[in-house]
Amino acid sequence: MKRAFRKIAIANRGEVAVRIIRAAQELGLETVLLHSEVDVGSRAYRMADDRYCIGPAPAPESYLHIERNIQGALASGAQALHPGFGFLSENAQFAKRCLDEGLIFVGPSPQSISLMGDKVEAKKRVAKIGIPLLPGVECPTASPDKILEHAKEIGFPVMVKARAGGGGRGMKILQSPQGALELIESAAREALHSFGSSDLFLERYLDHAKHIEFQIFVDGVGQAFHLFDRECTVQRRHQKIIEEGPSVALSEELRQEMGEQARNLAQSVGYKGAGTIEFLLQDDQYYFLEMNTRLQVEHPVTEEILGVDLVKEQFRTAMGEPALWNPIFLKPRGHAIECRIYAEDPYQNGIPSTGVLHGTLWPDGPGRRFEVGFEEGDLISSYYDPMIAKVIVRDETRARAIEKMKTTLAQTVLFGIKTNIDYLQAILSHPEFVDGSMTTQFLERNFPNALKREPLDSKTSQVAQMVWNLPSASSSNSSSQASSSDIPSPWSTFWRGV
Amino acid sequence: MKRFIVELDGQREEGWFEKIKGTLWVHWRGQTLTWEPKSSERKRSRDSDLHRGEILAPMPGKITKILKQEGESVKSGELVLVMEAMKMEYSLNSHRDGLIKKLKVSVGSQVELHQILVEVGS
């Protein structure tokens, strides 16, 4: 059924809001950004055709508030809504409220969202179509003692997880029976606090696995595609930091098999639009992890290796149109890597860095892509996720893509806010990352502490001292003008404003 | 953000910099660093001011209140004057025991960063 719409509401912020606005603009759609009070200083705010303030900075009063988003979309005359990722993007109630009010939800049906959002129900579906699952036990309302007994049956190490959960909360690894009871109780408390239900389940814990996921897509006329794999093994506390594709860990046979399984799963649950099936892979054996019923942060990896635009196809799907892809051309070309740029200080254990973003420089070039949410003068606040941008590169081989990413990051400049760029560089240079053998324990094992700042070498301090003393460097709040005789210098200096 | 180019042993190298609130942000040889002048005159003068007992303006602004007059005695930590900057009030205290030797400003004076406001002597 074809359904046209002209104006689209965006219930999100930052770089993904920018990404969605761009796709909408290219399709000739009008956009309205549903934003919080603090996000008036952001790129998406300036780019949108129309803006509607849905509440104060704290997310529960704005970006997570279902009725305010609905009201904002309706009041601004939107006929459709894109939820982006995070916030309300996997909230079945929100999707349903959109439909109730006659808004087209750019995403799957509320039924698909709630089916795959219930991790235990999802596993039952997955088992039915023959996708391998990790050995596990579902234990709703069981006492911690009973859960411990089940854990012993499965064998240690074992993971206890929240039934309604995701994102690492309500998730604990039990290494042995010692101390397991406390961890189970703690997981139940976290689950209750985060998801409103203390129901837990147990799963075998894999201690040298890779995180492999398949992008799936079901278009507006029901054609299901698998758009190949991404590897997101580099994670810290279940937060992805670097993603890439295709994975070096998959043989062509395994890739074909897993891709088909992912496609079958999407079709069997009547899915619509973009989704991701996540797997763990250990010793060439794969296990279903979960399905994400939305666009992923790392979707540009797939876009770059296949030359597709997933967000535009999401819109076309919502309009009831078929995807424009010819399956013959859906073949990975080369290798793509994405690095998430977080506003945090890697030399202080990743504490968030907030304040005003000053000068930025994103060094453009062939095969380099920047997804940027904030520009000079914008406030990076502590209210939201600290991801401010993503850098994506593509080249013919993985080794070349790594070199391209390192060069690109070395030329990227962000002033006024500390970022994780030095941390990303350290990861990209680590032998385990370079040879592709890293597992999900890679960061915990190799980067357990804050990066250590080397003392400045003498040349660098000389350059800094010299730049400090440049006439053009003096700003109104500095009176320091060291005389040039302070610098024992073989250098000659030029400067110009840019 | 501004560009700088240095020439080292005949090699030209490029970098970027910006001074933000007294801190220098430098992008140089693929890394972004923050730098503050440690051994520069600013630090040196701050130390010697403490020693001499001068009270300096911590930022540009306007003097709004003077609590001590020349010749009055003052204790270390005691409030001497109040200034206003960026719509906020700042209390300026003496760093040492002594007498107000010289009062260099009056109420309403506009002052510059690090301008000497009061000299405290023995």
Side-chain angles (χ1 to χ4, degrees):
Chain A
M1 184 187 66
K2 293 201 180 188
R3 300 173 301 177
F5 50 85
R6 294 178 320 281
K7 187 165 183 177
I8 173 99
I10 295 146
N12 217 298
R13 64 185 298 278
E15 59 83 29
V16 70
V18 170
R19 172 75 187 86
I20 296 164
I21 291 171
R22 278 199 176 131
Q25 284 173 343
E26 289 172 22
L27 291 172
L29 299 171
E30 244 191 284
T31 53
V32 54
L33 183 73
L34 309 179
H35 66 89
S36 78
E37 283 165 10
V38 286
D39 278 336
V40 295
S42 73
R43 199 176 183 201
Y45 182 88
R46 290 184 289 273
M47 282 174 65
D49 300 303
D50 196 1
R51 301 143 190 99
Y52 190 96
C53 183
I54 48 166
E61 296 169 50
S62 48
Y63 295 109
L64 287 173
H65 196 291
I66 291 178
E67 290 311 316
R68 287 185 189 165
N69 278 280
I70 298 278
Q71 193 214 326
L74 294 174
S76 14
Q79 298 100 32
L81 181 143
H82 196 308
F85 41 68
F87 295 127
L88 293 172
S89 62
E90 289 183 281
N91 186 309
Q93 177 61 22
F94 182 53
K96 185 174 176 302
R97 285 289 298 127
C98 285
L99 302 187
D100 290 348
E101 298 293 337
L103 284 164
I104 296 170
F105 183 77
V106 181
S109 67
Q111 293 77 15
S112 295
I113 298 175
S114 52
L115 173 63
M116 298 318 283
D118 181 330
K119 305 300 172 193
V120 173
E121 273 311 308
K123 287 192 158 196
K124 285 186 189 154
R125 281 304 183 104
V126 166
K128 247 188 231 164
I129 61 168
I131 300 180
L133 287 169
L134 283 166
V137 181
E138 153 188 4
C139 13
T141 66
S143 69
D145 294 303
K146 187 78 188 149
I147 293 175
L148 181 56
E149 250 170 66
H150 286 310
K152 285 176 183 162
E153 285 159 25
I154 295 167
F156 293 92
V158 60
M159 181 110 97
V160 53
K161 288 178 158 181
R163 174 171 173 154
R169 281 168 300 173
M171 206 186 266
K172 303 279 171 195
I173 300 160
L174 313 180
Q175 295 288 358
S176 70
Q178 272 89 49
L181 275 180
E182 287 86 84
L183 288 170
I184 293 166
E185 282 163 6
S186 153
R189 275 195 305 272
E190 265 182 47
L192 184 63
H193 182 76
S194 302
F195 312 110
S197 155
S198 61
D199 287 0
L200 300 172
F201 67 97
L202 289 166
E203 215 170 63
R204 160 91 46 81
Y205 177 67
L206 303 179
D207 62 3
H208 59 284
K210 282 178 165 291
H211 177 116
I212 310 282
E213 59 186 33
F214 277 76
Q215 177 72 53
I216 56 93
F217 200 101
V218 184
D219 72 8
V221 296
Q223 303 181 87
F225 300 85
H226 91 74
L227 300 176
F228 294 89
D229 51 296
R230 296 181 292 253
E231 175 168 347
C232 316
T233 298
V234 181
Q235 311 181 354
R236 190 185 45 195
R237 295 186 293 270
H238 307 284
Q239 277 284 347
K240 298 165 184 169
I241 295 176
I242 298 180
E243 301 98 340
E244 60 180 306
S247 168
V248 292
L250 294 183
S251 65
E252 274 319 303
E253 295 74 44
L254 204 48
R255 173 168 289 123
Q256 222 40 58
E257 183 184 326
M258 290 170 76
E260 277 312 305
Q261 297 269 37
R263 208 172 64 91
N264 288 343
L265 175 58
Q267 227 162 9
S268 79
V269 297
Y271 196 75
K272 197 182 78 177
T276 296
I277 318 286
E278 298 189 332
F279 298 96
L280 285 174
L281 177 78
Q282 182 167 297
D283 306 326
D284 281 336
Q285 177 59 55
Y286 64 91
Y287 307 91
F288 172 81
L289 190 61
E290 62 178 42
M291 176 170 185
N292 294 321
T293 55
R294 56 172 161 84
L295 191 70
Q296 277 316 74
V297 175
E298 58 272 25
H299 74 275
V301 167
T302 299
E303 294 186 325
E304 292 306 307
I305 52 174
L306 292 181
V308 298
D309 186 326
L310 290 169
V311 182
K312 278 203 277 192
E313 292 304 335
Q314 282 188 301
F315 282 134
R316 287 179 50 85
T317 300
M319 292 170 180
E321 301 280 350
L324 291 172
W325 305 319
N326 181 339
I328 291 169
F329 299 120
L330 290 178
K331 295 274 181 291
R333 159 93 193 266
H335 196 90
I337 303 177
E338 173 181 277
C339 283
R340 301 187 184 191
I341 309 294
Y342 287 109
E344 61 184 30
D345 189 345
Y347 297 97
Q348 290 189 65
N349 255 321
I351 61 163
S353 175
T354 58
V356 174
L357 186 62
H358 284 252
T360 62
L361 193 72
W362 301 103
D364 226 337
R368 301 173 177 197
R369 169 172 166 184
F370 304 98
E371 297 286 338
V372 176
F374 301 92
E375 296 166 309
E376 184 165 356
D378 289 345
L379 181 72
I380 308 303
S381 80
S382 54
Y383 288 105
Y384 312 107
D385 183 280
M387 189 176 80
I388 53 174
K390 304 183 301 211
V391 177
I392 305 100
V393 300
R394 194 206 72 86
D395 211 322
E396 297 301 339
T397 65
R398 184 171 186 270
R400 290 238 318 226
I402 293 174
E403 285 314 310
K404 178 169 281 185
M405 181 60 89
K406 283 160 72 176
T407 310
T408 305
L409 291 180
Q411 294 165 354
T412 298
V413 186
L414 288 140
F415 284 160
I417 293 287
K418 308 261 169 139
T419 73
N420 64 333
I421 286 179
D422 290 354
Y423 186 58
L424 293 167
Q425 292 282 37
I427 296 168
L428 292 165
S429 300
H430 194 282
E432 268 181 47
F433 182 82
V434 172
D435 70 20
S437 66
M438 69 284 185
T439 69
T440 50
Q441 286 79 23
F442 169 73
L443 288 184
E444 273 93 354
R445 213 170 273 163
N446 295 292
F447 298 91
N449 303 312
L451 289 189
K452 238 185 101 200
R453 174 75 82 183
E454 299 291 328
L456 291 192
D457 63 73
S458 65
K459 262 177 202 150
T460 305
S461 349
Q462 272 187 342
V463 167
Q465 177 75 62
M466 198 176 56
V467 170
W468 176 271
N469 289 319
L470 286 174
S472 64
S474 52
S475 51
S476 59
N477 54 2
S478 164
S479 64
S480 155
Q481 286 293 321
S483 69
S484 56
S485 62
D486 276 359
I487 313 154
S489 176
W491 326 63
S492 54
T493 313
F494 312 91
W495 64 269
R496 60 188 158 109
V498 173
Chain B
M1 190 188 320
K2 284 174 175 160
R3 187 202 305 265
F4 68 89
I5 298 165
V6 294
E7 231 173 78
L8 170 60
D9 304 329
Q11 288 274 42
R12 283 161 69 92
E13 287 189 65
E14 180 187 277
W16 300 88
F17 72 96
E18 188 171 348
K19 237 184 224 184
I20 302 168
K21 291 182 187 159
T23 297
L24 184 69
W25 291 68
V26 187
H27 187 81
W28 159 255
R29 292 185 173 173
Q31 275 202 304
T32 297
L33 310 158
T34 55
W35 186 87
E36 281 164 52
K38 269 201 267 319
S39 57
S40 77
E41 287 188 348
R42 193 167 84 167
K43 179 76 185 299
R44 251 183 273 142
S45 70
R46 203 162 43 204
D47 291 347
S48 54
D49 295 336
L50 274 171
H51 182 68
R52 284 205 305 268
E54 286 169 346
I55 300 174
L56 304 187
M59 58 190 65
K62 192 170 93 178
I63 304 299
T64 53
K65 215 180 239 176
I66 296 178
L67 295 103
K68 293 280 176 186
Q69 299 304 321
E70 280 182 16
E72 281 187 59
S73 72
V74 66
K75 292 240 177 293
S76 176
E78 199 176 344
L79 184 62
V80 179
L81 34 79
V82 177
M83 69 177 286
E84 188 190 277
M86 301 166 80
K87 297 188 174 157
M88 304 237 296
E89 278 204 348
Y90 294 87
S91 307
L92 306 177
N93 306 324
S94 175
H95 307 302
R96 53 167 290 180
D97 297 346
L99 294 173
I100 305 287
K101 265 174 69 182
K102 216 169 221 166
L103 193 58
K104 300 188 149 188
V105 289
S106 50
V107 170
S109 299
Q110 289 289 340
V111 297
E112 297 296 314
L113 175 75
H114 293 169
Q115 184 180 330
I116 299 169
L117 309 176
V118 181
E119 283 176 21
V120 184
S122 40

